[in-house]
Amino acid sequence: MSTGVETLEFQAEARQLLQLMIHSIYSNKDIFLRELISNASDALDKLRLESLVDKELQVDTSDLHIEIEVDREQRTLTVRDNGIGMSRDEVVGLIGTIAKSGTAELLRQLKETKDAAASQDLIGQFGVGFYSTFMVADRVSLVSRRVGEEDGTRWESDGAGTYTIEPVADAPQGTAVTVHLKPEDEEDQLFDYTGEWKIRELVKRYSDFIAWPIRMQVERPVTDGEGDDAPKHEVKTLNSMKALWARPRNEVGDDEYNEFYRHVSRDWNDPLEIIRMKGEGTFEYEALLFIPSQAPFDLFTRDAKLGIQLYVKRVFIMDDCQALMPEYLRFVKGVVDAHDLSLNISREILQQDRQIQLMRRRLVKKVLSTVKDLMAQDADKYGTFWREFGRAVKEGLLNDFENQRAILDISSFASTHDPEQVVTLQQYVDRMKEGQTDIYYMTGESRKMIENSPHMEAFNAKGYEVLLLTDPVDEMWVEAVRDFDGKQLRSIAKGQVDLDADGEDKADEPERDQQKEEYAALLTWLSTQLEEQVKEVRLSSRLTTSPAILVGDAQDMTPTLERMYRAMGQEVPQIKRVLELNPTHALVTGLRKAHEQRPEDPAIAETAELLYGTALLAEGGELTDPARFARLLSDRLSRTL
């Protein structure tokens, strides 16, 4: 064992976050104690679990607890546990480095925002755990020994960018964090955190539900008849240790639920909605779930963890039980306490366990029905939910076929009906035009791009509502969901579109037949001229003001989806599309006449190339030879001057 003291630097992001804490604008500095107690509770949970799984582990778990100790003269507060403890490498990895996804994003947004309230929300959304001690401390020291190891580790820092680390012999098992408190300053929300009354208040407010006893030496009231030599202090347990999910709803206040949510989620905001469940009969369980009010930074990262903790008969088993909630509901936080599972059940067995699968089905249905109730009863709450989590929820349309209809019922989409409000599929169907048989939609990278697309022209002209789908997942789920209430979902950018047929208006058929005859030669020539770029050239019934448009066949992949796959490094075969021409546009009619009069003129071929290029650019596509396109366009423009 090395006996020297090492001085190491914090990781860059950790250093920046430390400075945020030291100069914190967050007014509620009290939460540092909650964070330390939560960490201690986690360490006790992990030791209890490891002792159940590893029968050879020699450890006494008969009196697992958290202890708070104060020294008023030295102005220190210590939170000590006899839990799992940390090795030297774990101390460096967990405290000297921030590995949590989203840290860089948090720091970037904090730098960009100038609003103090917004900064508070960002810090609160992220959660900073151990680092919150630097809001109230001049210096923080930590001593930890991992169970099963002989020597411990001492860590210490003033938060200025470096920390010291050294080995410690004879360290007790577990972790002790000592906070060397800054001077009391009530104007800066720095209270006397050595005061017994203040610690009692904070434990009661934030940590009353912690499953382990939180003990502290407190002043003992002197009773009549006691002498001066009677003990003046006694050790008291400050928390009730009652599991909130097992207590009746009328005994638990919203404040207690909110604090419990913060404990299990490490989110400083209140939850959007609280969900209680109880399963009775052949398989008993209790569940207390929360829908957050803000999406976490790591919601769409690969290492995002599910938020459901699994307990068995009040014993903590695991903190990210993937078997209990599908990935598309990964933002749901909370606790499930099963009464009939084995304490040493593995993740692999959980995936196959029939009772777990049944419980999962019930939990999912309860979450979806709760959101549906929000939709009907509290539009503001539902709006917040969908804005924060709608993109994740729509992932369920791809693989949760049992609940596909329930997911569709709680989904909302932007549409041409209203520039501000989203609409449900049911609302769309209820106001469909007479004779309309399909639900029209278009996918794209932004609302503005879709609204300005040539594909929209005929639908706008005839007053048809179109759903505007701009999330990346929209490109995929529309292929998995074929219809809603018997109405097919149909992309306006694919296949043939004949809105007159919807309205049973056949008056224009003779004119269209005449146009086909007049343009037959041009269409044949263009199909040959552009055979490397398109599979067919035909007349369009969807254009009113643009000269041309590119259209996919009904089963073709959209250009946006093609780009997404290529961005992920996947090879996608080139898909030729259909070029449709507007027979009433001056450019197209002029091209037809020019082709009739001088079919061998090279300028006509160049016009065809420009026509295709402008159609490609209009949908956000990329030209294969931008320099050539720019040269042709410049030459053509120069002749008009």
Side-chain angles (χ1 to χ4, degrees):
M1 180 183 77
S2 170
T3 57
V5 178
E6 295 179 76
T7 299
L8 303 175
E9 286 192 357
F10 284 102
Q11 175 206 39
E13 290 179 347
R15 196 159 56 244
Q16 293 177 59
L17 197 52
L18 273 169
Q19 290 305 305
L20 281 171
M21 292 299 100
I22 292 168
H23 307 290
S24 178
I25 56 166
Y26 197 80
S27 59
N28 185 15
K29 296 177 173 61
D30 292 351
I31 55 82
F32 85 94
L33 185 58
R34 179 190 73 192
E35 297 296 312
L36 292 181
I37 291 173
S38 287
N39 289 344
S41 174
D42 289 347
L44 295 170
D45 285 340
K46 289 173 183 175
L47 179 60
R48 174 81 167 275
L49 179 60
E50 195 157 321
S51 69
L52 293 169
V53 174
D54 185 356
K55 300 301 181 183
E56 297 181 1
L57 187 67
Q58 299 296 314
V59 62
D60 181 9
T61 59
S62 61
D63 185 29
L64 298 180
H65 64 276
I66 299 166
E67 184 181 345
I68 299 176
E69 182 181 302
V70 297
D71 185 328
R72 302 204 71 162
E73 290 185 5
Q74 298 296 320
R75 287 197 54 76
T76 63
L77 181 149
T78 300
V79 176
R80 182 180 291 109
D81 68 73
N82 57 346
I84 193 77
M86 290 182 284
S87 66
R88 179 195 181 281
D89 290 344
E90 286 173 326
V91 170
V92 173
L94 294 172
I95 299 177
T97 303
I98 299 181
K100 182 172 179 178
S101 298
T103 310
E105 176 66 11
L106 167 80
L107 294 169
R108 184 188 64 77
Q109 291 195 32
L110 283 170
K111 285 178 182 176
E112 289 179 358
T113 183
K114 304 299 181 186
D115 179 27
S119 296
Q120 275 187 217
D121 289 343
L122 286 167
I123 295 173
Q125 183 180 354
F126 179 76
V128 290
F130 176 82
Y131 290 86
S132 63
T133 55
F134 286 95
M135 294 192 295
V136 299
D138 288 322
R139 181 162 49 95
V140 179
S141 58
L142 172 150
V143 175
S144 187
R145 179 173 69 83
R146 186 174 176 81
V147 65
E149 295 189 358
E150 292 184 3
D151 299 304
T153 301
R154 180 191 303 278
W155 177 101
E156 189 165 304
S157 178
D158 60 4
T162 62
Y163 58 91
T164 60
I165 194 162
E166 62 180 310
V168 177
D170 302 323
Q173 170 198 306
T175 300
V177 179
T178 299
V179 182
H180 299 260
L181 294 162
K182 294 176 180 178
E184 185 179 350
D185 183 354
E186 292 199 9
E187 285 188 10
D188 193 30
Q189 304 292 307
L190 279 167
F191 301 107
D192 180 10
Y193 296 113
T194 63
E196 177 189 320
W197 66 272
K198 185 64 178 177
I199 293 171
R200 280 178 175 270
E201 174 202 336
L202 297 184
V203 170
K204 182 67 177 175
R205 186 193 310 166
Y206 295 125
S207 307
D208 191 57
F209 50 80
I210 294 290
W212 308 103
I214 303 170
R215 297 172 184 161
M216 179 179 167
Q217 189 177 75
V218 300
E219 289 188 10
R220 177 177 173 271
V222 179
T223 59
D224 293 340
E226 289 187 326
D228 293 341
D229 58 346
K232 295 187 171 49
H233 295 87
E234 61 182 344
V235 175
K236 278 278 192 181
T237 297
L238 305 183
N239 59 322
S240 69
M241 296 182 291
K242 292 181 180 179
L244 256 69
W245 58 88
R247 292 166 59 186
R249 177 67 178 92
N250 58 6
E251 291 184 8
V252 184
D254 287 344
D255 287 346
E256 291 179 274
Y257 280 130
N258 292 344
E259 286 309 323
F260 183 72
Y261 164 74
R262 294 186 184 106
H263 171 68
V264 298
S265 68
R266 301 302 170 92
D267 177 7
W268 290 5
N269 300 293
D270 290 342
L272 185 71
E273 191 68 12
I274 302 166
I275 304 172
R276 289 180 57 98
M277 283 185 70
K278 189 171 185 177
E280 298 177 331
T282 56
F283 183 55
E284 295 186 6
Y285 65 90
E286 291 152 331
L288 178 58
L289 306 180
F290 301 91
I291 297 175
S293 56
Q294 281 186 303
F297 282 105
D298 61 357
L299 184 62
F300 295 102
T301 60
R302 289 184 179 180
D303 56 350
K305 288 188 176 182
L306 296 179
I308 304 298
Q309 296 181 351
L310 175 64
Y311 284 70
V312 174
K313 299 172 186 170
R314 311 283 175 87
V315 176
F316 173 80
I317 302 299
M318 63 184 70
D319 62 359
D320 61 331
C321 188
Q322 299 178 8
L324 286 173
M325 198 64 66
E327 192 172 352
Y328 71 91
L329 295 178
R330 57 189 174 274
F331 52 84
V332 176
K333 308 295 182 184
V335 168
V336 174
D337 188 354
H339 296 195
D340 304 305
L341 289 176
S342 167
L343 286 174
N344 59 358
I345 191 167
S346 70
R347 291 182 184 274
E348 290 72 27
I349 294 174
L350 276 173
Q351 298 291 344
Q352 308 299 325
D353 190 274
R354 189 187 67 82
Q355 291 180 327
I356 286 287
Q357 291 176 354
L358 179 62
M359 189 159 54
R360 170 184 166 127
R361 289 180 64 189
R362 292 175 178 171
L363 292 172
V364 171
K365 290 185 182 300
K366 181 64 174 178
V367 170
L368 296 178
S369 66
T370 299
V371 176
K372 190 171 184 178
D373 290 342
L374 281 182
M375 182 184 252
Q377 300 166 13
D378 194 327
D380 289 341
K381 271 191 176 182
Y382 169 77
T384 298
F385 168 82
W386 193 251
R387 183 175 62 254
E388 297 292 327
F389 305 110
R391 188 173 147 202
V393 170
K394 286 185 287 187
E395 294 172 12
L397 295 170
L398 294 167
N399 44 42
D400 189 354
F401 301 110
E402 179 182 353
N403 293 300
Q404 193 178 76
R405 175 57 193 244
I407 298 171
L408 285 174
D409 284 340
I410 65 168
S411 297
S412 295
F413 312 95
S415 96
T416 54
H417 179 75
D418 191 299
E420 302 292 337
Q421 300 297 321
V422 292
V423 302
T424 65
L425 290 180
Q426 190 60 59
Q427 289 170 330
Y428 182 104
V429 169
D430 290 344
R431 58 173 172 253
M432 281 172 58
K433 292 171 72 72
E434 185 177 352
Q436 183 180 344
T437 58
D438 299 324
I439 297 172
Y440 294 117
Y441 72 87
M442 185 173 173
T443 59
E445 295 179 4
S446 69
R447 180 183 184 119
K448 185 175 182 180
M449 181 178 288
I450 297 174
E451 287 179 328
N452 292 333
S453 169
H455 290 285
M456 294 291 300
E457 292 175 8
F459 292 86
N460 288 336
K462 294 182 179 291
Y464 283 88
E465 183 176 0
V466 178
L467 301 179
L468 312 175
L469 309 181
T470 57
D471 289 332
V473 69
D474 293 333
E475 296 284 348
M476 292 171 277
W477 74 257
V478 290
E479 301 298 330
V481 178
R482 291 299 181 184
D483 67 88
F484 178 83
D485 276 0
K487 303 289 191 294
Q488 281 199 328
L489 273 72
R490 186 173 175 188
S491 170
I492 67 170
K494 293 183 180 181
Q496 296 267 19
V497 169
D498 189 355
L499 297 181
D500 290 334
D502 266 353
E504 299 181 358
D505 181 2
K506 306 298 183 182
D508 294 335
E509 281 191 8
E511 183 181 351
R512 286 200 293 268
D513 290 340
Q514 182 180 349
Q515 288 172 342
K516 287 179 183 178
E517 185 177 337
E518 292 175 349
Y519 280 89
L522 177 64
L523 297 178
T524 302
W525 176 77
L526 283 173
S527 296
T528 303
Q529 191 71 24
L530 300 172
E531 61 182 349
E532 292 186 7
Q533 290 87 9
V534 299
K535 67 174 74 173
E536 180 188 354
V537 182
R538 67 189 182 209
L539 296 182
S540 178
S541 59
R542 70 182 88 212
L543 294 175
T544 59
T545 58
S546 297
I549 193 172
L550 285 169
V551 179
D553 278 341
Q555 304 305 319
D556 282 352
M557 188 183 298
T558 66
T560 304
L561 191 55
E562 276 188 67
R563 289 193 289 272
M564 285 171 52
Y565 279 126
R566 291 198 176 99
M568 293 186 291
Q570 297 188 31
E571 288 296 325
V572 179
Q574 183 180 2
I575 298 173
K576 289 186 179 182
R577 302 167 71 206
V578 177
L579 178 65
E580 288 190 353
L581 304 181
N582 179 357
T584 63
H585 194 280
L587 176 58
V588 178
T589 56
L591 181 61
R592 175 177 64 82
K593 292 174 182 176
H595 178 260
E596 288 175 355
Q597 295 168 4
R598 35 185 215 285
E600 304 301 325
D601 187 346
I604 298 175
E606 292 177 355
T607 302
E609 194 174 339
L610 287 169
L611 188 64
Y612 167 77
T614 54
L616 184 62
L617 290 172
E619 66 170 19
E622 296 180 1
L623 298 165
T624 55
D625 190 349
R628 174 175 170 77
F629 181 85
R631 187 173 62 253
L632 290 176
L633 184 60
S634 298
D635 290 346
R636 191 58 56 92
L637 289 173
S638 66
R639 296 175 202 168
T640 66
L641 299 175

